Amino acid sequence: MSVSDVNPVPAVALLARPGAARERLREALAHADVQIVLEDDPVTLEPQALADAHPQFVVIALEAAIEDALERLEPALSAPGLTLVFDEAELAARRDGWEAQRWGRHLSAKLHGHQQVLPPGAEDEPSLQLEPGRPSPPPVPPKDEVLHAHMEQAQDWAGDVPADSLYAPPTPSPSFAEPVSLEQHLAALQALPPEPAADAAEAPAADAPVPPPVSFDHTAWSLVDEAADAPAAAPARNEPPAVPSFETGHLSLVDLDAGLPAGARAGSLLVLAGIGGPDALRRLLGALPTGLAVPVLVHMRLDGGRYGNLVKQMARVSPLPVQLAEAGQRATPGEVHILSDDIGVRAAADGLHFQTDPLGVSIAGLPAEHSALILLSGADLAHVGPALDLAAAGAWVAGQVGEGCYDPAAATAVVAAGMVAGEPQELARAIAARWGVDEDNGETP
């Protein structure tokens, strides 16, 4: 049974201005086996017309000219059960050949709710997705079977083992008898009398005097009185012991942050994204709590550098304030800062500060123990190495997984290295549990 037999054909609305981007998206939807219930320009489309089409998905080609139109269509786009799929208009217009086919397969998988993103003929390839749980151990033979061969070998070799002839058990001496009392036991431990001389040995044994047995009177024993030789102790006094005085006038509170190195309190959450990033970023920021103990830094490479439009888009869904980072400003905890390509960060004693840097944000410059890093769809593969180095130093690193990850190369690499994996909403809940702020008392959970 195919996926199309299980899931009905999804109804899709395509919102894009006339042009190459709209044609590319229409071609991708035509190969995705969906029903296009509406195709219109969002600038002229009325919210009621979109609602009357009853779509399940809305594919939107983002560009600066439709910003105001999306605000006007916000009531219809926020309808329950409606899924929004965003794509950059410029990227869609230039997408062609293999790249267009690959993006179309990911779009079809998202619309149909499955993960079949391989080209035709490659369905039998082994899956590279990690699965939770421990692998089943190999079968272990019964314990008796394991020891049986060794026991037989030991029995065969037992006759060849040399015996120990250096030790002979002592024979009981006739001069000693088994003691039956303490006196006899102590007498048996005494030294034997010396042997008689040779001439005395010739005399009859009856003429030799027999020494009387040595006896010990243990009734006269007593414990040693060690105190008898000690000097007389001084008479005890009933005076209470002196209570040590404790002066608190010189005490003061210790500044716990005074001894921290520069940047130790400069915690942050850095989010890296690319192709397919706007949708994943919306889901991540929309699921964050209203307060965080660290600032959120977002870098998503955009063709044309229209980061101001990205700020407007994310501000509609994020419960946290969203602003564009500028050189000289300080990263504010509990706010989202969109980083352009030429903005970097430096760690100082009072937090992170933005500065002009042609290379952009540097992962290695972040304080590891107080930072978190999330790689979403489209993150650059060059960020994988620095991200794993930051994780080895104590940072919290995670990667996006799931059907919405259109370009999973970098995210899958960090997940395969043992980092945290999850959908954007799941990663947001993990961040909230780690750095969320209780607004009632201003403390983290």
Side-chain angles (χ1 to χ4, degrees), residues 226-309:
E226 297 179 353
D229 299 334
R237 298 181 181 180
N238 296 328
E239 298 179 359
V243 179
S245 61
F246 188 75
E247 184 180 356
T248 61
H250 64 282
L251 298 180
S252 62
L253 296 177
V254 177
D255 186 4
L256 297 178
D257 293 336
L260 295 178
R265 290 163 288 168
S268 64
L269 166 61
L270 177 60
V271 182
L272 303 174
I275 297 177
D279 181 50
L281 187 59
R282 288 178 69 257
R283 294 158 59 191
L284 175 70
L285 297 182
L288 289 177
T290 55
L292 282 181
V294 294
V296 181
L297 313 181
V298 176
H299 180 254
M300 184 173 65
R301 189 174 299 276
L302 298 177
D303 295 336
R306 298 190 309 274
Y307 291 99
N309 296 335

Side-chain angles (χ1 to χ4, degrees), residues 3 57 68 71 74 129 154 176 182 218 222 229 266 279 291 367-368 390 402 415 420 436:
V3 176
F57 297 87
D68 297 336
E71 294 182 2
E74 183 68 23
Q129 294 294 333
F176 294 95
L182 178 62
H218 63 276
S222 64
D229 299 334
D279 181 50
L390 198 69
V415 171
V420 181

Side-chain angles (χ1 to χ4, degrees), residues 29-54:
L29 292 175
H31 290 86
D33 192 18
V34 299
Q35 178 184 4
I36 302 179
V37 296
L38 178 66
E39 178 180 345
D40 205 342
D41 187 350
V43 177
T44 59
L45 180 64
E46 295 297 331
Q48 187 60 39
L50 178 59
D52 294 341
H54 302 291

Side-chain angles (χ1 to χ4, degrees), residues 84-283:
L84 304 182
V85 180
F86 293 92
D87 190 19
E88 290 288 336
E90 290 188 5
L91 293 178
R94 295 199 308 267
R95 196 177 292 125
D96 195 6
W98 177 88
E99 184 179 0
Q101 297 177 8
R102 177 177 176 275
W103 188 89
R105 292 194 300 270
H106 282 274
L107 178 61
S108 176
K110 183 176 184 64
L111 297 178
H112 288 277
H114 60 77
Q115 297 184 1
Q116 298 179 5
V117 296
L118 298 177
E123 291 82 358
D124 296 333
E125 294 185 2
S127 175
L128 298 180
Q129 294 294 333
L130 299 179
E131 297 182 357
R134 296 178 56 186
S136 58
V140 179
K143 185 177 180 180
D144 296 341
E145 296 183 6
V146 175
L147 299 178
H148 185 67
H150 300 283
M151 294 176 64
E152 289 184 351
Q153 186 179 24
Q155 187 175 3
D156 295 339
W157 290 357
D160 300 335
V161 177
D164 190 358
S165 60
L166 299 179
Y167 173 77
T171 58
S173 175
S175 302
F176 294 95
E178 184 179 357
V180 295
S181 64
L182 178 62
E183 290 83 353
Q184 294 179 358
H185 181 68
L186 293 176
L189 296 178
Q190 301 301 314
L192 295 176
E195 297 180 356
D199 53 353
E202 298 176 358
D207 298 338
V210 179
V214 181
S215 63
F216 292 87
D217 185 9
H218 63 276
T219 60
W221 293 352
S222 64
L223 296 176
V224 178
D225 189 4
E226 297 179 353
D229 299 334
R237 298 181 181 180
N238 296 328
E239 298 179 359
V243 179
S245 61
F246 188 75
E247 184 180 356
T248 61
H250 64 282
L251 298 180
S252 62
L253 296 177
V254 177
D255 186 4
L256 297 178
D257 293 336
L260 295 178
R265 290 163 288 168
S268 64
L269 166 61
L270 177 60
V271 182
L272 303 174
I275 297 177
D279 181 50
L281 187 59
R282 288 178 69 257
R283 294 158 59 191

Side-chain angles (χ1 to χ4, degrees), residues 331-350:
T332 305
E335 295 186 3
V336 180
H337 302 272
I338 304 297
L339 307 180
S340 56
D341 296 339
D342 59 348
I343 292 294
V345 295
R346 64 176 180 86
D350 59 343

